[in-house]
Every structure is written in C-alpha cells, then in structure tokens.
Amino acid sequence: MDFKTWRHVFKLDPVKEITDGHLERICRSGTDAILIGGSDDVTLDNVVYLMERLQRYALPVVLEVSTIDSVAPGFDYYFIPTVLNSDDPLWIKGLHHRAIREYGDILDWDELIPEGYCILNGDCKAAKLTGAKTDLTTNDVLAYARLAEHFFQLPIFYMEYSGIYGSIDLVRKVKEVLSETRLFYGGGIDSADKALAALDVADTIVVGNIIYENIEKAIETVEAVAETAD
Ligand code: 1GP
C-alpha cells in the first residue's frame, strides 16, 4: 500500500450520514482508498464510528486530520494539511506544533503524510475556517506548488476546490511544475467526464460530495478511472 500509486480516492465526511448499502458500494467500487475528513463538527466519536464501519473492507483508510481531538489510532495513514495560502500561522504550522508538543514522543512518523493545501474556492468551509487567500493568479498558485515541492519537500500538493469544479487548465499548469510532489485534485467531480478530465492532469482525484447526493454518479467516477487503466 502506497499513497503514491493512488489515482482515485473517496472522501467521506464523518458528519454526514451514509447507509451501510452505500458504504459497501463505495468500498467495493474499485477506488484506491478512503479518506475521512471534514471541516466542521468532526469528533472522535463520529470518526471512530465511521472507521469501525470501514474495517470490514480491504481498503486503505486515511484520516485527514482537522482537529487534534478527533485523532484515533488504527488508520493506515494520517494526512496532515498545512494550508499554504492561509496567512494564519495556526493553519500552516500552529496546530501541528501543538500536536507534536503533546504527542511527539509516541508518533509514528512514517504514518504521517503532510499535504500542502492550496484552497481555491473562497466560498468553501475550509477556506473560511483557515482564512485562505483565494484570489490568486496562476503565478501565485504555481509558486505555492514550487514552494511545496522544493522548499518544504511535501509529498502532496492538494488543489482544493471543494464544492465546485475547478480550472483544469490551472491544474495542468501546476502539474507541469511538479515532479516529486504528488498532485491531488479535489472539488466538484460529479460525473465520469469530470473525473476523467481531472485525472488527465492530476495524479490523484478526490471525490466527496457526490457520494451523498447521487451514489450512482459517485460510482461512475471510479469506473471511468478503471477504464483508463485498461
Ligand atoms: C473535498 O476535495 C474534496 O475536500 C472533494 O470535493 O466534495 O466537491 O467532491 P467535493
């Protein structure tokens, strides 16, 4: 199991309800991994509840950490966002420092994967929460990508459009300046076509909301990816 090979990931929000039937379809869809993450009301209880329901499936399960209090043991990886386009140090390294001060002695560093976030939809919850500066030019975004790869040497650069389908042209330009850092794209993928277009330029696509809005469409996004592998 290596996140560097993943092409399609479903992101489940522990706050949103999902039936056992839908969860089974998601987990048996052929996706590469399940990411658990959300912006508000993520608690230890709702994270553990979802994780326990996922345990019967042979899929990597990742916790994308948004609050220290909701970190439970037993995940395959812990993805730790650092919001590169926030001017609030809390979201760049403040919470991280706090967590390491508390748990630094017992952390398994191999399980922790830092993600350089670039939040590009100013209306999404994550942007508001972190005070992300989203009125960015192409050069701004390319500079964040280069900062992630060459300065901070982050394994993942995550272009986060949560809730809207972003600029595939911009994703392509970012991909062109990255070589070691893996490019994740997330936001508004709600059809096979959008999944394919995003995957054509990003290394890994993340599909979230549509799981709760239209399960058939969500499954189609994986099928589209599987066809590209044939
Ligand atoms: C959200 O990037 C993910 O963090 C996926 O976005 O919910 O819009 O699919 P959507």
Side-chain angles (χ1 to χ4, degrees):
M1 182 196 60
D2 183 352
F3 71 91
K4 291 181 185 140
T5 64
W6 297 347
R7 301 233 66 206
H8 181 288
V9 173
F10 275 126
K11 191 185 279 194
L12 294 175
D13 186 337
V15 176
K16 293 185 183 165
E17 286 185 21
I18 183 165
T19 63
D20 287 341
H22 284 191
L23 198 63
E24 179 165 5
R25 291 193 64 191
I26 288 295
C27 291
R28 296 199 193 284
S29 64
T31 189
D32 293 308
I34 303 291
L35 201 52
I36 297 183
S39 292
D40 4 79
D41 301 327
V42 178
T43 64
L44 186 60
D45 280 351
N46 56 33
V47 165
V48 169
Y49 175 64
L50 188 51
M51 186 179 96
E52 284 175 354
R53 294 172 70 201
L54 290 165
Q55 269 169 354
R56 68 174 70 183
Y57 304 103
L59 261 184
V61 184
V62 180
L63 181 63
E64 187 172 57
V65 178
S66 52
T67 65
I68 300 169
D69 298 342
S70 61
V71 178
F75 284 89
D76 294 296
Y77 289 118
Y78 297 84
F79 282 5
I80 318 288
T82 172
V83 183
L84 299 175
N85 61 325
S86 170
D87 284 335
D88 182 347
L90 185 72
W91 299 101
I92 306 166
K93 51 88 183 172
L95 291 169
H96 319 64
H97 176 256
R98 216 178 275 172
I100 293 168
R101 196 178 55 196
E102 201 159 331
Y103 302 109
D105 287 340
I106 56 163
L107 287 175
D108 179 345
W109 298 98
D110 291 335
E111 292 176 348
L112 303 189
I113 311 296
E115 299 173 296
Y117 253 70
C118 187
I119 304 178
L120 292 155
N121 171 10
D123 291 329
C124 76
K125 283 184 194 160
K128 297 203 164 104
L129 183 69
T130 63
K133 206 170 157 283
T134 57
D135 54 337
L136 302 174
T137 64
T138 298
N139 279 340
D140 287 330
V141 178
L142 295 182
Y144 280 125
R146 288 179 159 134
L147 185 74
E149 174 158 321
H150 299 289
F151 193 80
F152 291 119
Q153 297 180 352
L154 297 170
I156 294 170
F157 184 69
Y158 191 137
M159 294 178 72
E160 172 64 292
Y161 281 96
S162 183
I164 59 166
Y165 194 60
S167 163
I168 293 303
D169 191 43
L170 182 57
V171 182
R172 178 180 293 107
K173 286 178 177 148
V174 167
K175 176 64 188 163
E176 282 166 6
V177 302
L178 293 177
S179 51
E180 296 296 319
T181 296
R182 203 163 168 85
L183 178 57
F184 277 45
Y185 168 86
I189 296 177
D190 57 8
S191 67
D193 287 350
K194 286 182 189 164
L196 282 175
L199 197 68
D200 192 39
V201 289
D203 295 313
T204 305
I205 58 170
V206 183
V207 177
N209 278 329
I210 194 66
I211 298 166
Y212 303 96
E213 288 162 6
N214 186 329
I215 190 75
E216 304 302 332
K217 290 277 178 197
I219 301 294
E220 272 178 27
T221 67
V222 193
E223 289 167 352
V225 172
E227 280 163 27
T228 65
D230 291 343

